[in-house]
Amino acid sequence: MNRTAEITRTTKETDIALTLDLDGGAKAEISTGIGFLDHMLTALAIHGGFSLKLTCNGDLNVDGHHTAEDIGIVLGMAFKEALGDKAGIMRYGSAFIPMDEALAFCSLDISARPFLVFNAQFTNERVGEFDTCLTEEFMRAFAFNAGITLHLRVEYGSNDHHKIEALFKAMAYALKAAIKRNEDGSVVSTKGVL
């Protein structure tokens, strides 16, 4: 089974083209118009072990909100499509990731029950051209469109770049564990379906 998705989505605010291959190896070609977001999405793909190609032309003359949120929507849709009925995956994943002085935690369940618990405080309004508050917006859009229960927490840290990067990498490793194929191809649920 090919675990891939190709999605284009155009609105009055963003124009996004995305190709995802969960088994395509750790590769990323990202262009969002926001350098720090490119950096985070590249880290997500490389550390998650999947292939992601994404371009977004957004209304950055307004701000980065629509770009970050809509990319989260499309990436979530792509994960949902690529995983199909979710048979044969481990389903759960958790990871602690240190980034210098910062430590972040992610635990997730690919359950078709979308939820986000986000516990992180940022000191600065921006990292580069990326508004730090958009970290939560991206994660919410991703979780709800992928059908993932997603818990994210910054345990501690002082540098916002490090805190956000640790969150993205923690999610990458949690996703990597959750999308890993299980031994018998079964659906990991007492219901028999996810």
Side-chain angles (χ1 to χ4, degrees):
M1 173 185 135
N2 288 334
R3 302 192 305 169
T4 61
E6 195 168 325
I7 296 176
T8 57
R9 181 177 185 265
T10 302
T11 71
K12 291 180 179 179
E13 298 166 342
T14 58
D15 184 5
I16 299 171
L18 181 151
T19 303
L20 174 69
D21 184 346
L22 297 181
D23 304 305
K27 292 182 273 189
E29 290 180 47
I30 312 293
S31 178
T32 68
I34 304 172
F36 184 73
L37 185 55
D38 291 355
H39 180 41
M40 293 303 97
L41 293 170
T42 298
L44 183 65
I46 298 302
H47 291 274
F50 54 84
S51 174
L52 178 63
K53 185 174 182 180
L54 183 148
T55 58
C56 176
N57 292 309
D59 57 355
L60 297 179
N61 58 307
V62 176
D63 67 10
H65 189 284
H66 301 139
T67 293
E69 184 177 35
D70 288 5
I71 289 171
I73 290 169
V74 174
L75 184 60
M77 292 166 59
F79 263 84
K80 186 174 186 176
E81 182 180 316
L83 288 169
D85 64 4
K86 296 178 261 331
I89 63 167
M90 295 303 292
R91 178 180 169 180
Y92 294 100
S94 295
F96 279 98
I97 293 294
M99 184 81 188
D100 295 349
E101 87 301 338
L103 181 68
F105 172 72
C106 176
S107 186
L108 59 83
D109 175 14
I110 302 175
S111 61
R113 291 193 311 275
F115 203 86
L116 176 68
V117 176
F118 186 89
N119 189 350
Q121 305 297 319
F122 303 115
T123 307
N124 300 292
E125 285 187 19
R126 301 184 125 200
V127 174
E129 294 301 309
F130 181 78
D131 295 322
T132 55
C133 66
L134 297 181
T135 309
E136 184 173 2
E137 296 302 321
F138 170 85
M139 297 300 185
R140 180 180 295 108
F142 173 70
F144 275 76
N145 285 276
I148 291 175
T149 301
L150 179 62
H151 291 245
L152 289 158
R153 183 175 70 233
V154 172
E155 300 289 331
Y156 45 78
S158 57
N159 182 301
D160 287 341
H161 182 131
H162 295 161
K163 289 189 277 188
I164 296 169
E165 188 165 347
L167 284 169
F168 271 85
K169 287 178 176 177
M171 185 167 75
Y173 282 96
L175 281 169
K176 189 176 192 175
I179 67 175
K180 185 178 176 185
R181 296 180 192 271
N182 62 32
E183 291 181 9
D184 59 5
S186 65
V187 174
V188 182
S189 172
T190 54
K191 298 180 184 76
V193 66
L194 285 170

